[in-house]
Every structure is written in structure tokens, then in C-alpha cells.
């Protein structure tokens, strides 16, 4: 059915990646015909040094590691596109840094084997409750994450035809739903695949916006992004990022390139 690339981005989230990444990498290695593409999006939390312990996985091709060193602020669509465009698989899966793969690989492989042209939306039944105030954010349990929008996979050809995530959206909020809405409008079937067990480390919306470089909170950013997304759908603008310029990165600590 083809190779699967799991695309992860990280901006100063090593404290979460240290919990999720080793197990995810092990599952990908055991599954075979898979890879993880990890983007260091200008982190300053020693991610470069920490990832060196996985050099054998880089050497074997199971891990592709990109370091983006020019844009200081995190932009979810740009970072996710970078990871997806650097991937080599037939199927591309967005896997947020705070998400666990769990036992999903065989299930997703079966779905794509039976229906190759399919977008899979991973979800868990305990949907994230909005977190807005400081008091609410302080009550988040680190083991209660949901990650419902942290696992989205589709064929590479479909991702490229859509132009990837819309980089004209504000840095965070609604970019995953926008991608799925545009995909559905083009006729791509979407299946939700349930994931049990520990799915993700929960973040507050304040944490999500922390490195965005804009003064808006997540709720305001989401509303503005929803408006842009709805307008694009209404006007039939389903392909994003026309004329996008490649972004420079250091690949696997050794190769200056751009995606």
C-alpha cells in the first residue's frame, strides 16, 4: 500500500516530545515501510542536542530531521507543510508533538489498503474542552489530553493538490479543520478512526499560542481563521499557497536544502 510518513513539528516543546517521541519512533521502526519527519521550528530548548541520541534512526532513514533556523515565531501551517513536503511516503500523517501513535498503525494501514484514496482523521472519544482562563488552564491534567486534531493522514498526491495547509491563516487554530474541509469539498472521503488509551498530552490554548508572535488569543485567532476558511470554500479556492517559496532548512545535521 506504500510508505507512511508521520510528520511532527516542534517549537520549544521538547518537554512533551521527550514523552511521546521515543515510543512513536519505536512503533514506526517496528511497523516497517514508515518514517518520522521531525521539524525543529527554530526551537531554543536544546532539541538539537537531545535528538542526537537517535542518530542511528537518521542513518537508517527511519527519521528525517529538519532544522528551520530563520523564522523565529511558530506558524502551524508553515511548520506542518515543511514536514509534509520533506516526507518521502505515499501517505502523509500529521502527528502533533504531543500525540501518541498508540496501536493505530495496523488500523490505518488496513483502511488505506481497502480504500487507497482516503483521508483518515484520528480521534478519541473524550473531546478537548476549551481552556481559556488562567484558572482553567492551571487545572489541566497532563495525562488528560485528547489530540483529536493531532492525527490527520491522507495520500501525498491529495495533499499536494490541496497545496497543503493554508499558510495565509493566522499562526494557530483551525488549520487542520480547514485542510479537511477543503479535502472534503474536492470529493475526498473522510473516515474518523477511533484511538483508545493515552492519546495526547493536553495543552492549554495559552500554550498553543505562546510562540506565535501575535497578540491574539486562540479563540480570536480561530474565529478569524474560520472566516477566511469559509470565504475560500464559498469562492471555490481549494488549493492553498499558490506561488509558495521553499523554506530553507538543515536536513539531518548535514545538508542545507529547502522544501
Amino acid at each position: 500500500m506504500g510508505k507512511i510518513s508521520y510528520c511532527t513539528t516542534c517549537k520549544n516543546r521538547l518537554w512533551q516530545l521527550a514523552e511521546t517521541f521515543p515510543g512513536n519512533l519505536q512503533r514506526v521502526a517496528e511497523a516497517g515501510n514508515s518514517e518520522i519527519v521531525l521539524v525543529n521550528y527554530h526551537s531554543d530548548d536544546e532539541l538539537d542536542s537531545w535528538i542526537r541520541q537517535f542518530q542511528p534512526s537518521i542513518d537508517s532513514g527511519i527519521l528525517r530531521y529538519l532544522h528551520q533556523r530563520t523564522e523565529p515565531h511558530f506558524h502551524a501551517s508553515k511548520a506542518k507543510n515543511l514536514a509534509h513536503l520533506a516526507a518521502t511516503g505515499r501517505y502523509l500523517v500529521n502527528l502533533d508533538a504531543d500525540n501518541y501513535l498508540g496501536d493505530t498503525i495496523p488500523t490505518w494501514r488496513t483502511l488505506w489498503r481497502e480504500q487507497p484514496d482516503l483521508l483518515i482523521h484520528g480521534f478519541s472519544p473524550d473531546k478537548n474542552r476549551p481552556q481559556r482562563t488562567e484558572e482553567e488552564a492551571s487545572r489541566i491534567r497532563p495525562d488528560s489530553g485528547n489530540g483529536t486534531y493531532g492525527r490527520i493522514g491522507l495520500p501525498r498526491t491529495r495533499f499536494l493538490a490541496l497545496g497543503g495547509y493554508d499558510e495565509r491563516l493566522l499562526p494557530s487554530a483551525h488549520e487542520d479543520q480547514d485542510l479537511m474541509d477543503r479535502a472534503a469539498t474536492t470529493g475526498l472521503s473522510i473516515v474518523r478512526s477511533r484511538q483508545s488509551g493515552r492519546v495526547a498530552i493536553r495543552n492549554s490554548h495559552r500554550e498553543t499560542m505562546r510562540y506565535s508572535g501575535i497578540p491574539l488569543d486562540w479563540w480570536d485567532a480561530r474565529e478569524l481563521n474560520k472566516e477566511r476558511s469559509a470565504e475560500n470554500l464559498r469562492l471555490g479556492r481549494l488549493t492553498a499557497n499558490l506561488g509558495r517559496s521553499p523554506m530553507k532548512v538543515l536536513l539531518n545535521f548535514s545538508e542545507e536544502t529547502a522544501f
Side-chain angles (χ1 to χ4, degrees), residues 16-30:
Q16 292 184 332
L17 200 68
E19 294 292 326
T20 61
F21 183 80
N24 288 344
L25 183 64
Q26 181 179 350
R27 289 180 182 277
V28 165
E30 292 171 349

Side-chain angles (χ1 to χ4, degrees), residues 191-235:
V191 169
R192 300 185 78 207
S193 180
R194 180 173 178 145
Q195 181 171 338
S196 59
R198 191 179 188 194
V199 176
I201 303 169
R202 176 168 285 174
N203 290 298
S204 67
H205 290 149
R206 186 182 70 253
E207 179 67 30
T208 300
M209 299 298 294
R210 184 176 178 185
Y211 300 105
S212 67
I214 63 173
L216 300 177
D217 69 11
W218 184 88
W219 293 86
D220 292 334
R222 184 184 68 162
E223 290 307 308
L224 291 171
N225 281 346
K226 285 175 66 176
E227 291 175 7
R228 170 177 168 78
S229 179
E231 181 182 19
N232 286 340
L233 291 173
R234 179 175 59 83
L235 297 176

Side-chain angles (χ1 to χ4, degrees), residues 6-197:
Y6 296 91
C7 305
T8 300
T9 65
C10 185
K11 169 69 173 180
N12 293 341
R13 290 282 187 88
L14 178 55
W15 61 280
Q16 292 184 332
L17 200 68
E19 294 292 326
T20 61
F21 183 80
N24 288 344
L25 183 64
Q26 181 179 350
R27 289 180 182 277
V28 165
E30 292 171 349
N33 203 23
S34 308
E35 68 180 2
I36 289 184
V37 182
L38 174 61
V39 170
N40 175 341
Y41 206 82
H42 212 301
S43 292
D44 53 16
D45 59 357
E46 305 302 324
L47 177 55
D48 257 4
S49 298
W50 183 83
I51 208 69
R52 289 279 190 179
Q53 65 186 295
F54 302 104
Q55 187 66 45
S57 294
I58 293 176
D59 295 339
S60 67
I62 297 172
L63 171 62
R64 286 169 67 79
Y65 180 66
L66 289 72
H67 192 169
Q68 185 283 119
R69 300 166 293 173
T70 55
E71 296 202 9
H73 300 298
F74 186 74
H75 193 291
S77 292
K78 292 180 180 180
K80 291 177 180 181
N81 282 343
L82 191 54
H84 285 63
L85 293 173
T88 64
R90 179 181 176 185
Y91 293 95
L92 310 179
V93 179
N94 176 67
L95 177 67
D96 284 353
D98 56 5
N99 275 231
Y100 297 90
L101 270 175
D103 296 323
T104 60
I105 295 179
T107 301
W108 287 41
R109 282 188 183 278
T110 298
L111 287 169
W112 275 321
R113 191 175 295 113
E114 295 174 349
Q115 189 174 348
D117 195 30
L118 184 70
L119 185 150
I120 303 174
H121 178 196
F123 82 102
S124 48
D126 175 27
K127 185 167 177 58
N128 259 344
R129 293 189 302 274
Q131 304 288 339
R132 184 161 193 166
T133 68
E134 292 279 337
E135 180 181 359
E136 288 172 331
S138 70
R139 294 200 298 265
I140 300 173
R141 299 197 318 275
D143 62 344
S144 63
N146 170 272
T148 294
Y149 283 95
R151 302 176 304 285
I152 298 171
L154 71 168
R156 179 187 187 87
T157 54
R158 287 287 197 163
F159 183 85
L160 295 177
L162 290 166
Y165 288 87
D166 188 351
E167 296 185 6
R168 291 187 64 187
L169 295 177
L170 293 171
S172 189
H174 199 67
E175 74 278 354
D176 294 304
Q177 187 63 54
D178 171 75
L179 179 70
M180 290 193 292
D181 288 344
R182 286 186 288 119
T185 304
T186 66
L188 183 59
S189 297
I190 297 178
V191 169
R192 300 185 78 207
S193 180
R194 180 173 178 145
Q195 181 171 338
S196 59

